[in-house]
Amino acid sequence: MSKYNNIKFLKETKARNSYTCEKCSAEIKIGEIYYKESIGRINVPGVNLKKFCYKCGKE
């Protein structure tokens, strides 16, 4: 657990590469809308930001 966990939020993004959803393992294809974790304008190396498909991100 990192000190940045309480400031993370989900941000809607259009995929430029293909990814895999962290929750349901569905493929996120290029051009699809997905949700990714963000911590704002802070750039912290080593923080694992997860990516979720559109369906899982809405939940």
Side-chain angles (χ1 to χ4, degrees), residues 3-53:
K3 64 182 181 180
Y4 299 104
N5 281 345
N6 56 347
I7 62 170
K8 288 182 183 176
F9 60 93
L10 291 179
K11 182 177 177 183
E12 192 174 287
T13 308
K14 187 175 181 179
R16 292 187 217 162
N17 295 317
S18 59
Y19 301 108
T20 303
C21 177
E22 296 283 336
K23 189 172 183 180
C24 69
S25 300
E27 182 183 2
I28 303 167
K29 297 178 183 172
I30 297 172
E32 289 182 342
I33 301 295
Y34 72 100
Y35 286 91
K36 72 175 184 176
E37 288 183 332
S38 181
I39 51 176
R41 295 179 179 246
I42 302 170
N43 186 11
V44 182
V47 174
N48 186 15
L49 299 175
K50 298 178 182 176
K51 296 169 180 66
F52 302 100
C53 65

